[in-house]
C-alpha cells in the first residue's frame, strides 16, 4: 500500500530523511580527510583532493531546476539513496591497501586512490542532488505550520549524522585499528558500516517515505513554459544579484570572514593524529573520534544555539563584532596545542571545544548577513548564490592549506591562520557600516 503524507506523521520520516542527508556529506568531506591522513597521504595532496570533493555542493544550484521539473522529489530521494548505498559498498570493496612501511613514511601516493576519489566524487554529486530533493520534498510534504514545527528536528538529526560521521565512524576505525594493527582494514570496515546503515535507511524510505499529492514533476505539466521560465528567472536573479548595491563588499565578506577556519578545518584532524615528532599530537584514531568528532561537534552545535539567541536579542549589527571576535580569537588554541603539544587529552578536548564553540557562535553572524544581503524580490535565488560563495570560501583555502603546512610546519601554519584573522576583522569593519541596526533583532 502506498504511504501518504496524511496517514504518516512527519516524525516517521523527517528525522531519518535529514540523517540520510547528513551521512554521505560527512563521509565524503570528513571521513575522506581522516582516512587519507591515516593511510599516509601527505597533507598537501590530502587537502587538495578532498577539497575537490566539495565541488558538487558548490555547483548544485546549476542542476537544481532539473530536480524540480523531472520526476518527483520522492523519486529523486530514493534513487540517490540507492546510488549512494551502492557507491559506499563499492568503496568498501575497492579500498586500496598500502603497506605498513609506506603508511609509516607518510608518502603514500594519492594516485593509489584514484578509483576511491572517483567513487567519492560520484557520491558527492548524488549527495548534493539528494539535498536539493530532500529540501524541496520537506516544503511540500506537509503544511507550513508543520514545517516550522519540525525545523529544529531536521537540524538536530543532521547534527546527529555529523556525530555519526565524524565521531562514531572514526571511533570504530580507531578501535579496529588497535585490535588488528591494520589501518586499511579498519577503514574498510568503517566504510562497510556506513554502507550497512545507509542501506537500512534507504530500505526504510523506499517503503515508508510518504507520497504527497503535491509532489509532481512540473515538466509533465508544462514542459516548454517551465524550461523557458526557469532560464529567464535564473538569468534575472543572477543579474539582479550582481547589480545589488555593495555586492563586491558582500562577496568579499562572504569569501574572507571564514578565511581562518577555511585553512584550519582541513588540518585539524591530521594535526591531531600525526606523530609528535612530526609536529602533531599523536592521538589515536578512536580518541580523535571522541575529541573532535563528538565533543567538538557538540560544542559547535552549542555555539550555534547560543549565537542564535545572542543575535536575536541584539540584532546583527550589534552582535557582529562579538561574533567576529569569537570566530577568530579561539584559533589561538591550535597555536597553543602546536607549540606545547600537550599529552593530556582533557586539555586537548577543552582546546578543541573552545575553538569549535567560537566557530559555531561566530558563524551565526555569517548566516544572518547572507540572509540580510539576500532580501528583496529574488530572495531565494540570491540566498542560493550566497551559499555558493560560502562554499567557495572553504574551497579556496582548502586547496592550498596542506601544501602550506608541509612547507612551514604546524606551528607556523597555525600562526598564519591567526594572521588571516586580520582579513576577517577588516571585512567585518567594512560591512558593519552598511547593516540596518534593527535587522535580526527580535521584536518585543
Amino acid at each position: 500500500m502506498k504511504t501518504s503524507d496524511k496517514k504518516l506523521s512527519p516524525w516517521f520520516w523527517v528525522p531519518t530523511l535529514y540523517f540520510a542527508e547528513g551521512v554521505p556529506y560527512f563521509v565524503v568531506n570528513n571521513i575522506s580527510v581522516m582516512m587519507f591522513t591515516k593511510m599516509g597521504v601527505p597533507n598537501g595532496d590530502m587537502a587538495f583532493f578532498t577539497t575537490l570533493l566539495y565541488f558538487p555542493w558548490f555547483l548544485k544550484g546549476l542542476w537544481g531546476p532539473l530536480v524540480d521539473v523531472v520526476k518527483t522529489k520522492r523519486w529523486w530521494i530514493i534513487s540517490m539513496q540507492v546510488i549512494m548505498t551502492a557507491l559506499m559498498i563499492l568503496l568498501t570493496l575497492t579500498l586500496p591497501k598500502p603497506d605498513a612501511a609506506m603508511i609509516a613514511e607518510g608518502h603514500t601516493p594519492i594516485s593509489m586512490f584514484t578509483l576511491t576519489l572517483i567513487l567519492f566524487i560520484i557520491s558527492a554529486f548524488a549527495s548534493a542532488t539528494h539535498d536539493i530533493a530532500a529540501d524541496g520534498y520537506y516544503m511540500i510534504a506537509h503544511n507550513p505550520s508543520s514545517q516550522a514545527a519540525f525545523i529544529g528536528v531536521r537540524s538536530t538529526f543532521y547534527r546527529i549524522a555529523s556525530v555519526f560521521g565524524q565521531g562514531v565512524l572514526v571511533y570504530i576505525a580507531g578501535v579496529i585499528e588497535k585490535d588488528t594493527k591494520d589501518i586499511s582494514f579498519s577503514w574498510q570496515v568503517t566504510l562497510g558500516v556506513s554502507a550497512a546503515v545507509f542501506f537500512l535507511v534507504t530500505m526504510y524510505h523506499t517503503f515508508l517515505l510518504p507520497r504527497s499529492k503535491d509532489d509532481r514533476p512540473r515538466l509533465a505539466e508544462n514542459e516548454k513554459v517551465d524550461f523557458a521560465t526557469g532560464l529567464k528567472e535564473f538569468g534575472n536573479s543572477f543579474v539582479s544579484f550582481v547589480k545589488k548595491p555593495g555586492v563586491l563588499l558582500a562577496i568579499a565578506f562572504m569569501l574572507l570572514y571564514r578565511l581562518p577556519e577555511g585553512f584550519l578545518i582541513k588540518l585539524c584532524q591530521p594535526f591531531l593524529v600525526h606523530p609528535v615528532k612530526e609536529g602533531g599530537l599523536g592521538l589515536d584514531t578512536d580518541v580523535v573520534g571522541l575529541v573532535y568528532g563528538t565533543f567538538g561537534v557538540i560544542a559547535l552545535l552549542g555555539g550555534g544555539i547560543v549565537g542564535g539567541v545572542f543575535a536575536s536579542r541584539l540584532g546583527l549589527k550589534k552582535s557582529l563584532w562579538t561574533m567576529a571576535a569569537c570566530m577568530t580569537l579561539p584559533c589561538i588554541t591550535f597555536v597553543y596545542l602546536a607549540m606545547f603539544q600537550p599529552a593530556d587529552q582533557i586539555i586537548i578536548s577543552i582546546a578543541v571545544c573552545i575553538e569549535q564553540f567560537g566557530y559555531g557562535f561566530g558563524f551565526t553572524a555569517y548566516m544572518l548577513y547572507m540572509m540580510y544581503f539576500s532580501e528583496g524580490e529574488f530572495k531565494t535565488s540570491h540566498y542560493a548564490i550566497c551559499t555558493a560563495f560560502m562554499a567557495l570560501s572553504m574551497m579556496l583555502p582548502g586547496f592550498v592549506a596542506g601544501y602550506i603546512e608541509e612547507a612551514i610546519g604546524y606551528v607556523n601554519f597555525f600562526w598564519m591562520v591567526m594572521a588571516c584573522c586580520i582579513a576577517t576583522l577588516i571585512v567585518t569593519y567594512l560591512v558593519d557600516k552598511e547593516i540596518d541596526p534593527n535587522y535580526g533583532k527580535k521584536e518585543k
Side-chain angles (χ1 to χ4, degrees):
M1 182 178 69
K2 292 183 178 182
T3 54
S4 168
D5 55 324
K6 293 183 179 179
K7 296 180 181 179
L8 196 64
S9 166
W11 278 108
F12 284 93
W13 59 269
V14 171
T16 55
L17 181 62
Y18 281 88
F19 179 80
E21 183 173 309
V23 169
Y25 175 87
F26 293 107
V27 168
V28 171
N29 290 293
N30 294 90
I31 289 294
S32 63
V33 170
M34 192 63 166
M35 184 178 74
F36 288 143
T37 298
K38 292 297 295 184
M39 292 276 210
V41 177
N43 277 351
D45 289 345
M46 178 280 298
F48 181 85
F49 284 97
T50 55
T51 299
L52 282 176
L53 298 176
Y54 198 70
F55 256 112
W57 284 278
F58 169 58
L59 298 172
K60 68 181 182 180
L62 296 179
W63 68 88
L66 179 68
V67 177
D68 199 29
V69 300
V70 178
K71 296 291 187 179
T72 65
K73 307 295 188 299
R74 186 184 187 279
W75 182 90
W76 283 104
I77 290 169
I78 302 300
S79 298
M80 292 305 105
Q81 289 183 7
V82 169
I83 290 172
M84 287 186 285
T85 300
L87 289 166
M88 289 182 189
I89 293 171
L90 287 174
L91 282 165
T92 303
L93 298 176
T94 62
L95 188 68
K97 297 183 178 181
D99 59 56
M102 184 182 293
I103 293 175
E105 291 174 0
H107 295 123
T108 305
I110 193 68
S111 58
M112 181 177 286
F113 296 93
T114 299
L115 179 58
T116 303
L117 287 168
I118 291 172
L119 293 174
F120 268 136
I121 195 66
I122 298 172
S123 299
F125 275 105
S127 180
T129 305
H130 179 274
D131 291 357
I132 297 168
D135 292 340
Y137 180 86
Y138 179 86
M139 290 186 286
I140 62 176
H142 50 173
N143 59 52
S145 61
S146 180
Q147 291 177 35
F150 277 85
I151 194 73
V153 175
R154 57 181 273 184
S155 177
T156 298
F157 277 85
Y158 188 85
R159 289 301 176 190
I160 290 174
S162 174
V163 173
F164 175 75
Q166 299 183 86
V168 175
L169 291 180
V170 174
Y171 181 82
I172 290 172
V175 171
I176 295 173
E177 178 188 329
K178 283 182 176 179
D179 289 343
T180 64
K181 310 300 180 184
D182 187 335
I183 294 176
S184 300
F185 178 71
S186 70
W187 289 103
Q188 195 170 30
V189 172
T190 300
L191 289 171
V193 170
S194 65
V197 170
F198 209 74
F199 170 77
L200 292 175
V201 172
T202 301
M203 293 301 295
Y204 178 86
H205 287 154
T206 300
F207 294 103
L208 286 179
L209 191 65
R211 288 175 170 83
S212 170
K213 65 180 184 302
D214 297 319
D215 185 16
R216 300 186 301 271
R218 290 195 293 123
L219 186 62
E221 297 174 4
N222 198 333
E223 180 176 355
K224 291 183 180 180
V225 173
D226 280 336
F227 181 73
T229 302
L231 282 180
K232 183 178 179 180
E233 288 298 306
F234 176 80
N236 289 340
S237 64
F238 184 78
V239 170
S240 64
F241 181 86
V242 298
K243 287 184 176 180
K244 274 198 164 200
V247 65
L248 293 179
L249 176 58
I251 292 173
F253 181 84
M254 288 183 274
L255 291 179
L256 296 177
Y257 182 78
R258 301 172 71 198
L259 184 62
E261 197 67 25
F263 281 111
L264 189 65
I265 198 168
K266 277 296 176 186
L267 274 300
C268 285
Q269 294 182 78
F271 167 68
L272 294 174
V273 297
H274 276 156
V276 173
K277 64 180 181 180
E278 296 177 11
L281 296 186
L283 297 181
D284 292 331
T285 305
D286 55 336
V287 175
V288 174
L290 289 174
V291 171
Y292 184 79
T294 305
F295 303 149
V297 170
I298 292 172
L300 177 69
L301 180 59
I305 293 171
V306 175
V309 174
F310 184 78
S312 69
R313 291 182 177 179
L314 297 182
L316 174 58
K317 187 176 180 67
K318 288 187 177 180
S319 62
L320 181 59
W321 274 106
T322 303
M323 291 189 167
C326 289
M327 187 83 175
T328 55
L329 296 181
C331 294
I332 196 69
T333 57
F334 275 87
V335 175
Y336 164 78
L337 292 175
M339 290 181 66
F340 297 99
Q341 295 178 292
D344 191 327
Q345 293 178 10
I346 294 178
I347 293 176
I348 296 171
S349 298
I350 292 173
V352 169
C353 287
I354 289 173
E355 193 279 329
Q356 288 290 287
F357 182 89
Y359 176 50
F361 185 85
F363 185 65
T364 305
Y366 187 85
M367 297 296 289
L368 277 174
Y369 180 79
M370 289 199 301
M371 289 187 281
Y372 171 74
F373 189 74
S374 300
E375 289 291 331
E377 180 184 358
F378 297 96
K379 182 175 181 178
T380 301
S381 299
H382 287 180
Y383 187 77
I385 295 171
C386 287
T387 60
F389 282 110
M390 177 178 70
L392 191 62
S393 73
M394 292 288 98
M395 291 174 63
L396 294 178
F399 281 129
V400 298
Y403 295 118
I404 293 174
E405 186 283 320
E406 286 183 346
I408 64 178
Y410 279 116
V411 174
N412 290 331
F413 176 81
F414 290 129
W415 274 118
M416 185 209 71
V417 169
M418 285 303 301
C420 290
C421 296
I422 296 172
T424 302
L425 299 179
I426 290 174
V427 293
T428 298
Y429 171 77
L430 293 174
V431 302
D432 181 50
K433 300 176 180 180
E434 310 296 327
I435 296 173
D436 180 351
N438 294 316
Y439 184 80
K441 187 183 296 186
K442 187 176 181 180
E443 296 182 3
K444 296 181 180 180

